[in-house]
Amino acid sequence: MCGILATLLADGDGHCVGDLVDGMTVLQHRGQDAAGFTTASTSQDWEKVTFKTVKGTGMVREVFADPKRAQELLGNVGIAHVRYPTAGGSGLDDVQPFYANFPCGLALAHNGNLTNSERLRKELVSRHRHLNTTSDSEALLNVFAEHLAANLEARRRGSVGHAGDPLSTPVSPDTLFDAVERTMRRCVGGYAVVVLVHNVGVLAFRDPWGIRPMVFGERKSRTLENEYDRAVASESVALDTLGYKLCRDVAPGEAVLLRPGFPVLTQRCAERPVHRPCIFEYVYFARPDSTMDGVCVYAAQLKMGEKLAAKIKRQLGDRPKPDVVIAVPDTSRPIALQCAYSLDSVYREGFIKNRYIGRTFIMPGQDMRRKGVRMKLNTIKSEFAGRTVLLIDDSIVRGTTSRELVLMAREAGAKNVYFVSASPEVRYPNVYGINISTHNELVAHNRSADEVATFIKADWVLFQDLEDLEDCVRELNPALKEFENSVFSGCYVTCDDEESVATSSEQGSPRPGAKTPLSRVSPEAS
Ligand SMILES: *[C@@H]1O[C@H](CO)[C@@H](O)[C@H](O)[C@H]1NC(C)=O
Ligand SMILES: *[C@@H]1O[C@H](CO)[C@@H](O)[C@H](O)[C@H]1NC(C)=O
Ligand SMILES: *[C@@H]1O[C@H](CO)[C@@H](O)[C@H](O)[C@H]1NC(C)=O
Ligand SMILES: *[C@@H]1O[C@H](CO)[C@@H](O)[C@H](O)[C@H]1NC(C)=O
């Protein structure tokens, strides 16, 4: 899980660094491990333009602890990334964006994970490409660059009279979309990508399943009449904050090209995209004020509260009724509030959060996580004392945090502690960029809800049904039929490698990125 942002100011003399830094601060919840920024100019003599990059570990404000670093980021176009710690390295070496100098200057950042990056890496290395990191983003960048180079070369050969002059083949929208098309055929996994293209602008694309989210928007230029600044972001909150109007989501398998002085160009680059957005985004990752694939995350969370309440009523049996509903801050608050309302119970703040410490989910190592809970949360004793309390959290992953919370509730005097998870049982690893990589440590992997209750020492544990969770989002946008829900179901939409993808296509299931020529979708002005 990571956050990405790209902005392109219409005014070539403008500087987009302010937008990038502010926007990434708004997307900080998507990753606090590291941040990287690359900017350039689209107006200067292209041979003189250099890419400016600032990278650092920690939060955006830590990267710019010295404000002078922001002044290095000159130019009206740029991309940025915040990193969530994943399987790859965790030092500064792997911080995105990555840069390639062929066939033109390219810088790339992405949110997601390629499941066939080992294979791509081998293919690249066999062609003597040097990959300096283990990051799948670097592999993705090189795959894209090779396809773009091949396209340009083919066109150069084809253009009579100009043969030999590489500049006679401009990096046109067609060559870029072609390269995206070919890249999508090779890269398996979930990815939302932004590419800064030297002397052109920003290219953005989303994998053929639309697993990871991405939106784009525009804003009237502050300096030029009738011109628009444009931006692409992981979540619409970044656009809101920067004053961009949300145009729409980038469709699965679609590429979007932003250039100064031109309308936005979009093109479908996968043959049969099948939309399967990640359902976990709606419960856990996205901010409630984001609109994702046409669904307001907050509205979906209210529905989650209602459906949870219905399930609690169905299954409460002769257990004592909860006296109070308490959310584990912050993500589960809207869910708990609506759940309490639907249960005709009382919602109370019982845990107070220290806002100056990151999510414990993101802290490496189990011991730190346990200690982290106490650092992060403290109880209001009177809300627990003598009561049957119903705690609601967004999920139960390893169970260690939940166990600590149950213990804290008991220490505060709770009579009975019920623990409700707004997500279903997390049973399987995620391969699309969420750091849930081994099922051994997932408490629900081989346990029933009652066994999880024993593990976390709660009097009762209840999980949201997957069907209910998906319905919450579906009811708000009926066009969304299915979701990427592998951590709950063990079903992986892309399959684990290209071979099994090929097999599944023979069996007739839809396969994005098939090898037939694509029909062009007419460019859309926005
Ligand atoms: C990812 O999760 C694993 C286990 O859950 C943890 O050991 C590892 O430290 C995490 N990665 C990072 C970079 O935090
Ligand atoms: C290559 O990686 C090494 C260590 O991983 C790093 O120190 C170095 O700066 C990288 N080189 C480039 C050109 O990025
Ligand atoms: C990325 O994909 C690889 C290959 O399937 C997998 O081993 C790894 O756990 C994945 N990482 C994340 C963070 O999704
Ligand atoms: C679940 O699996 C873990 C690790 O494989 C094991 O230690 C534990 O005993 C299992 N628990 C149950 C209830 O089967």
Side-chain angles (χ1 to χ4, degrees):
M1 191 60 44
C2 296
I4 49 172
L5 175 67
T7 58
L8 170 63
L9 305 188
D11 186 348
D13 295 328
H15 296 291
C16 65
V17 56
D19 273 3
L20 288 181
V21 175
D22 292 347
M24 288 326 277
T25 305
V26 173
L27 294 177
Q28 188 82 76
H29 61 285
R30 299 187 67 86
Q32 296 108 46
D33 189 52
F37 300 77
T38 298
T39 62
S41 162
T42 58
S43 70
Q44 290 168 21
D45 178 0
W46 71 272
E47 281 181 76
K48 296 206 177 100
V49 170
T50 53
F51 280 17
K52 311 288 184 187
T53 292
V54 168
K55 296 180 182 184
T57 51
M59 307 237 231
V60 174
R61 64 165 182 263
E62 294 169 74
V63 174
F64 293 101
D66 176 2
K68 282 206 201 75
R69 293 198 77 186
Q71 290 164 19
E72 294 167 28
L73 292 169
L74 302 174
N76 64 320
V77 58
I79 63 173
H81 184 261
V82 286
R83 184 175 73 185
Y84 172 91
T86 51
S90 56
L92 194 53
D93 297 337
D94 274 8
V95 180
Q96 304 187 38
F98 283 99
Y99 169 72
N101 72 352
F102 83 102
C104 63
L106 298 171
L108 175 146
H110 100 290
N111 168 210
N113 189 41
L114 302 186
T115 52
N116 67 338
S117 61
E118 265 320 300
R119 184 183 176 139
L120 296 174
R121 175 175 301 277
K122 281 195 192 117
E123 289 169 4
L124 288 163
V125 168
S126 75
R127 287 190 294 276
H128 308 290
R129 291 274 166 230
H130 176 242
L131 297 176
N132 194 52
T133 70
T134 54
S135 167
D136 58 345
S137 319
E138 197 186 15
L140 176 59
L141 170 60
N142 278 270
V143 168
F144 175 77
E146 281 194 344
H147 285 305
L148 184 59
N151 283 348
L152 292 173
E153 178 60 20
R155 276 168 209 237
R156 189 181 64 81
R157 291 225 188 102
S159 67
V160 192
H162 295 283
D165 176 6
L167 291 184
S168 67
T169 48
V171 181
S172 63
D174 256 13
T175 57
L176 290 165
F177 288 145
D178 256 21
V180 172
E181 210 173 291
R182 288 165 203 274
T183 302
M184 282 189 184
R185 282 183 213 152
R186 302 245 328 265
C187 296
V188 182
Y191 46 89
V193 182
V194 286
V195 192
L196 170 55
V197 184
H198 178 207
N199 205 32
V200 175
V202 169
L203 177 70
F205 54 96
R206 195 174 173 197
D207 70 77
W209 309 93
I211 295 174
R212 301 264 68 96
M214 189 154 76
V215 293
F216 65 97
E218 62 183 20
R219 167 184 84 186
K220 279 211 163 77
S221 165
R222 284 160 189 163
T223 45
L224 299 181
E225 198 86 28
N226 299 324
E227 296 274 355
Y228 286 88
D229 301 337
R230 299 203 162 82
V232 179
S234 291
E235 288 184 39
S236 62
V237 280
L239 302 183
D240 292 349
T241 307
L242 302 176
Y244 288 82
K245 181 176 118 319
L246 172 66
C247 294
R248 63 174 173 83
D249 294 79
V250 177
E254 186 181 47
V256 174
L257 183 62
L258 315 182
R259 292 170 299 164
F262 293 94
V264 175
L265 262 187
T266 65
Q267 180 164 311
R268 199 176 83 180
C269 293
E271 196 205 11
R272 274 183 296 164
V274 183
H275 204 172
R276 299 273 174 84
C278 171
I279 191 74
F280 217 34
E281 289 277 354
Y282 293 94
V283 205
Y284 182 77
F285 283 108
R287 267 179 44 160
D289 46 341
S290 277
T291 298
M292 215 170 245
D293 288 316
V295 173
C296 165
V297 174
Y298 182 73
Q301 292 183 343
L302 292 184
K303 280 183 182 286
M304 289 172 207
E306 283 163 21
K307 292 197 199 291
L308 268 180
K311 186 170 179 185
I312 292 166
K313 280 186 194 159
R314 283 197 307 271
Q315 306 206 344
L316 187 65
D318 45 17
R319 294 179 185 87
K321 275 186 73 176
D323 298 312
V324 63
V325 176
I326 291 174
V328 177
D330 286 318
T331 356
S332 55
R333 219 181 243 139
I335 305 174
L337 197 66
Q338 190 69 3
C339 179
Y341 180 77
S342 305
L343 280 176
D344 248 335
S345 186
V346 182
Y347 171 88
R348 283 293 159 78
E349 297 291 336
F351 292 105
I352 298 303
K353 184 175 178 179
N354 174 357
R355 275 183 289 142
Y356 303 100
I357 166 170
R359 292 189 199 192
T360 57
F361 190 78
I362 279 156
M363 283 191 212
Q366 296 265 345
D367 285 334
M368 288 237 341
R369 187 175 293 113
R370 288 198 56 165
K371 239 188 277 167
V373 180
R374 302 277 175 155
M375 275 296 296
K376 198 175 86 168
L377 296 172
N378 189 31
T379 50
I380 298 178
K381 312 287 180 287
S382 55
E383 292 303 333
F384 293 86
R387 290 179 172 170
T388 294
V389 298
L390 191 140
L391 306 185
I392 300 191
D393 204 350
D394 48 57
S395 56
I396 302 177
V397 181
R398 292 170 191 89
T400 48
T401 301
S402 319
R403 188 160 58 187
E404 204 63 20
L405 293 169
V406 171
L407 183 62
M408 287 168 75
R410 293 203 196 280
E411 285 172 3
K415 197 163 62 182
N416 296 295
V417 182
Y418 302 157
F419 202 101
V420 170
S421 162
S423 343
E425 293 88 332
V426 175
R427 291 202 163 111
Y428 304 93
N430 183 286
V431 294
Y432 306 119
I434 301 175
N435 186 18
I436 298 177
S437 52
T438 143
H439 46 62
N440 285 335
E441 38 177 51
L442 301 175
V443 65
H445 175 67
N446 54 357
R447 286 184 184 83
S448 66
D450 287 346
E451 285 164 345
V452 173
T454 309
F455 182 86
I456 69 170
K457 301 187 163 74
D459 297 298
W460 186 35
V461 162
L462 186 115
F463 291 92
Q464 178 93 276
D465 290 333
L466 181 55
E467 182 76 14
D468 276 352
L469 175 61
E470 295 187 347
D471 280 346
C472 294
V473 181
R474 268 193 289 254
E475 284 166 14
L476 293 163
N477 180 3
L480 296 175
K481 300 241 168 353
E482 289 186 72
F483 297 88
E484 198 298 294
N485 57 16
S486 53
V487 292
F488 310 121
S489 68
C491 302
Y492 296 86
V493 289
T494 63
C495 303
D496 272 5
D497 56 51
E498 287 169 315
E499 259 96 85
S500 49
V501 171
T503 322
S504 78
S505 130
E506 277 153 29
Q507 289 161 353
S509 57
R511 172 156 87 99
K515 290 188 173 60
T516 43
L518 298 174
S519 50
R520 297 268 166 209
V521 177
S522 50
E524 249 171 60
S526 73

